[in-house]
Amino acid sequence: SHLRMMEITVHLCFSIPEGNECIKAIAKSCGECIQVGAKCGWCMDPGFLKQGEATSTRCDELESLRKRGCSSTKVENPQGSQWILKNKAVTNRIKGAENLRAEDITQIQPQKLTLSLRLGEPQSFNLKFKRAEDYPIDLYYLMDLSYSMKDDLENVKNLGTQLMLEMSKITSDFRIGFGSFVEKKLLNPCTGDQNCTSPFSYKNLLTLTSNGQEFNTLVGQQQIDGNLDSPEGGFDAIMQVAVCGEHIGWRNVTRLLVFSTDAGFHFAGDGKLGGIVLPNDGKCHLENNMYTMSHYYDHPSIAHLVQKLSDNNIQTIFAVTEEFQPVYMELKNLIPKSAVGILSANSSNVINLIIDAYNSLSSEVILENSKLPEGVTIMYQSRCKNGVTGEGEMGRKCSDISIGDDVSFTIRITAKQCPKMGKPETIKIKPLGFNEEVEITLNFICECDCHKDGIENSDICHNGNGTYECGACRCNEGRIGRQCECSTNEVTIEDLDKSCRKDRGTDICSNNGDCVCGTCECKKRENPEERYSGMFCECDNFNCDRSNNKLCGGHGHCECRWCICDANWTGSACDCSLDTTTCLASNKQICNGRGTCECGTCKCTNPKFQGPSCEICPTCPGVCTEHKECVQCRAFGTGEKKDTCERDCSYFNLIKVKDRDKLPQPGQAFPLMHCKERDANDCWFYYTYAVNKKSEKEVHVSALRALTSSPLWAGVVAGIVLIVLALLLIWKLLMIIHDRREFAKFEKEKMNAKWDTVREWR
């Protein structure tokens, strides 16, 4: 029996159609159904299933369920939703207005919301960002104090007060701090009279303060240090500045880190050169403001550094010499919200460099999100200044933002699967370099509301062998059947064969289904509107006669391979209309009283008549005269209608033939009339008029015309004949006179000849 069940499972797998994902899923419960996709619904109507239909057919596309007769009130189709829990408006603050604490300034809206996600159905919300006026700034100056930076240190000694003055033009709340770095601790490489100390990794020399003079004093006390190789250990220092917030004194305001050097950098793996193999742990290790674990942990990797800078909302400005600008430009491309400025040989331009870099960083907002739960995707669309929009990765950011500008983002979140633990998840979205964020709680709709009303061990499910929920039984483990009436351990091949065959010689379930628990469960079709049904799956609703390539002519429905026609339709394909209004003539008679209406079309009883209402008689008297003028104007461009020909005479198809012998002859499939008419030039023209099987009027016309025998022409001809005859008579008379004269002359000459002969004889 277990083998048979395995065969059934395999058979079901191979009979799954593609296309309709709801049908393909073979969902056994409402919860499984709604997880397939947003198009799927579950019919809770207990009487919905027809004989032979499996429980899984309750899961189908919404439109298909409606067509199958499931009321919309009985369809379980939960929808996603959203609630905004904190929606504080962005701050409209101008410089010189009342002082606000940094935590009271809002640049992003909303701040907190909850989304309920139906799988496959995206939830969208709008996020607004506004760059606030007079926003507080913390700036930490991290300087390379290797020996090559000796000249630069002199110029930085007055940086505090000068920078405070310049930054006061941007914000009234500015603080500055100072730290230095060289390299991981080694022996002092300085020799002779060089005034330097042994290398160190990082020192926090001045916690962030609003006292610029204190900065100048402290920096003035510093000395340059020595180092053996060119690349410096700045990454160790950046990591400690990022993660040691309490030591540095970072506030939840704009955080700027100025990294000043004239050399390259070491990164993860370089520590092996000094025997250090442990990867950087990304934690704070400051004691007495000195990094104490440089000999123990390797340099951090770039990716590790990017993460920590982002987590702590720090924007980095690399102030480097021209020689190393290309190197740090590549690094900038890997660190979001960072900038590179070219430092002069002695750092004399450092203030302008910082101001320019700050303006560049603050004019761009880039959104980032925390790690997404498995199966969750997020899409961004930006609407920036001057109508500029972006999608995909470009949808995360807006550039060229000035103070007080509003920009907005549409964020769309979609879940593709339910979480394994079934618990809500939380994600965060924030603009890089800013301390504000949006907190989003994600709830997942993975079960139907009707599931709550399920009755465990219900009697409906065969003596309590399942839970009755959402109009169907969800069987307990080891039970199968629509009402969980069978045990998988009790099913035998004999039972299946006996109860699932219509007759002895027929296939199991008519080869259109599977025998489960002694009952046929019909296969599903790729088209959700096509179904097998019946006790033995012997019926279907798609193998009926068709007309115009439509099942049952589109005027009925197919039941067990027979068309059930709609009202006023009949025929095996429901293609014969019983409506006689289409046969009514203008005189309100059916077919003009000359035929019968069959399937909405006139069948003319008199073969002389044609047309939709038997109104056309191609061979009746007067046809030729009726169409004479139109044939003449279209064929020869002459006649009374030559000026209105296109308007009045386009009701027939004109076919020109060479001469009269080429015209259609009687005896073809439809009657025709031979016509002979005189045109405006008094010539005969010949044509035929007919109505073909498509009820189209056809005119064949001979291109060759003939002269007519009119009285005028007859008189002319008669006159010519009379003239010819008169001329002939005159000629004859003249000939007679001439002949007589010649004969008389001959007689006279003859008499003279006789007289001469007599005289000579005498």
Side-chain angles (χ1 to χ4, degrees), residues 515-527:
C515 191
V516 179
C517 192
T519 302
C520 284
E521 290 193 357
C522 302
K523 295 177 184 177
K524 298 174 185 178
R525 301 272 297 175
E526 180 176 356
N527 185 340

Side-chain angles (χ1 to χ4, degrees), residues 430-471:
K430 68 173 185 177
L432 282 172
F434 294 84
N435 64 301
E436 298 175 59
E437 63 186 14
V438 182
E439 181 180 311
I440 307 167
T441 301
L442 304 179
N443 295 319
F444 299 87
I445 302 174
C446 299
E447 193 54 86
C448 298
D449 290 339
C450 57
H451 169 74
K452 303 172 186 176
D453 302 324
I455 304 172
E456 294 184 2
N457 304 319
S458 170
D459 290 338
I460 299 175
C461 303
H462 197 267
N463 300 323
N465 286 315
T467 299
Y468 186 72
E469 62 178 47
C470 303

Side-chain angles (χ1 to χ4, degrees), residues 395-658:
R396 290 176 174 266
K397 68 179 183 178
C398 283
S399 303
D400 195 26
I401 302 172
S402 303
I403 292 173
D405 286 342
D406 285 339
V407 295
S408 63
F409 300 84
T410 297
I411 300 170
R412 185 172 64 183
I413 299 177
T414 308
K416 300 295 184 182
Q417 66 184 56
C418 286
K420 295 178 181 178
M421 302 301 294
K423 296 180 179 179
E425 300 276 1
T426 299
I427 62 172
K428 295 180 179 181
I429 298 175
K430 68 173 185 177
L432 282 172
F434 294 84
N435 64 301
E436 298 175 59
E437 63 186 14
V438 182
E439 181 180 311
I440 307 167
T441 301
L442 304 179
N443 295 319
F444 299 87
I445 302 174
C446 299
E447 193 54 86
C448 298
D449 290 339
C450 57
H451 169 74
K452 303 172 186 176
D453 302 324
I455 304 172
E456 294 184 2
N457 304 319
S458 170
D459 290 338
I460 299 175
C461 303
H462 197 267
N463 300 323
N465 286 315
T467 299
Y468 186 72
E469 62 178 47
C470 303
C473 286
R474 179 186 284 189
C475 298
N476 296 336
E477 189 71 26
R479 304 295 298 189
I480 57 175
R482 193 187 285 185
Q483 277 79 43
C484 312
E485 63 270 26
C486 290
S487 168
T488 55
N489 297 322
E490 298 171 356
V491 178
T492 64
I493 296 176
E494 291 77 12
D495 291 337
L496 294 171
D497 288 351
K498 182 179 179 180
S499 57
C500 292
R501 294 182 190 272
K502 187 175 183 180
D503 301 303
R504 281 193 174 184
T506 58
D507 293 328
I508 293 175
C509 299
S510 306
N511 203 31
N512 293 325
D514 299 290
C515 191
V516 179
C517 192
T519 302
C520 284
E521 290 193 357
C522 302
K523 295 177 184 177
K524 298 174 185 178
R525 301 272 297 175
E526 180 176 356
N527 185 340
E529 297 184 5
E530 297 179 355
R531 299 185 301 279
Y532 292 109
S533 61
M535 182 179 291
F536 305 100
C537 303
E538 74 278 13
C539 294
D540 65 59
N541 68 342
F542 54 86
N543 271 322
C544 289
D545 288 345
R546 295 175 179 267
S547 178
N548 293 327
N549 203 30
K550 293 182 180 180
L551 191 68
C552 298
H555 304 298
H557 61 278
C558 183
E559 288 188 10
C560 206
R561 304 186 180 183
W562 287 94
C563 282
I564 307 299
C565 299
D566 297 338
N568 287 328
W569 290 92
T570 187
S572 63
C574 301
D575 54 353
C576 181
S577 173
L578 299 177
D579 185 7
T580 60
T581 57
T582 55
C583 295
L584 284 177
S586 58
N587 59 8
K588 303 302 180 182
Q589 286 185 311
I590 291 179
C591 303
N592 270 299
R594 299 166 183 152
T596 59
C597 189
E598 297 180 12
C599 298
T601 303
C602 281
K603 300 293 182 183
C604 303
T605 53
N606 188 333
K608 291 175 60 177
F609 290 92
Q610 294 175 284
S613 302
C614 301
E615 76 281 10
I616 301 172
C617 179
T619 59
C620 291
V623 169
C624 294
T625 304
E626 179 183 351
H627 304 292
K628 167 190 171 183
E629 291 300 332
C630 279
V631 174
Q632 185 182 174
C633 77
R634 287 190 58 185
F636 308 111
T638 60
E640 295 177 1
K641 292 191 176 183
K642 65 179 181 179
D643 296 329
T644 60
C645 196
E646 186 175 351
R647 183 191 70 191
D648 298 338
C649 300
S650 58
Y651 58 88
F652 58 84
N653 298 327
L654 181 71
I655 303 101
K656 276 191 175 184
V657 297
K658 185 176 181 182

Side-chain angles (χ1 to χ4, degrees), residues 99-213:
N99 290 329
L100 292 175
R101 295 180 303 169
E103 54 268 28
D104 294 331
I105 299 174
T106 302
Q107 297 183 105
I108 192 169
Q109 179 187 358
Q111 296 81 40
K112 189 174 184 179
L113 66 156
T114 297
L115 302 181
S116 289
L117 299 176
R118 165 86 182 270
L119 302 195
E121 178 188 66
Q123 286 293 316
S124 300
F125 65 94
N126 292 327
L127 183 149
K128 181 179 180 181
F129 177 85
K130 182 174 184 178
R131 186 179 161 197
E133 176 89 13
D134 197 25
Y135 196 70
I137 299 173
D138 284 352
L139 184 147
Y140 191 85
Y141 197 93
L142 182 60
M143 185 172 181
D144 173 6
L145 284 187
S146 59
Y147 191 79
S148 58
M149 293 286 285
K150 181 178 179 181
D151 293 342
D152 302 82
L153 181 61
E154 292 300 319
N155 284 312
V156 174
K157 288 180 179 179
N158 295 319
L159 179 65
T161 52
Q162 294 176 6
L163 191 57
M164 291 288 289
L165 181 63
E166 289 298 323
M167 293 301 289
S168 66
K169 300 175 183 178
I170 298 174
T171 177
S172 58
D173 188 356
F174 177 73
R175 298 197 310 169
I176 190 170
F178 184 79
S180 62
F181 70 93
V182 181
E183 184 58 284
K184 289 187 178 296
K185 189 173 182 180
L186 299 170
L187 295 176
N188 190 346
C190 300
T191 59
D193 59 351
Q194 292 177 341
N195 185 19
C196 63
T197 61
S198 62
F200 57 89
S201 183
Y202 165 65
K203 291 179 184 177
N204 176 32
L205 297 170
L206 178 64
T207 299
L208 289 164
T209 177
S210 57
N211 189 338
Q213 187 58 48

Side-chain angles (χ1 to χ4, degrees), residues 348-360:
S348 59
N349 68 330
V350 67
I351 291 179
N352 290 334
L353 185 154
I354 292 172
I355 298 296
D356 291 343
Y358 169 74
N359 288 332
S360 174

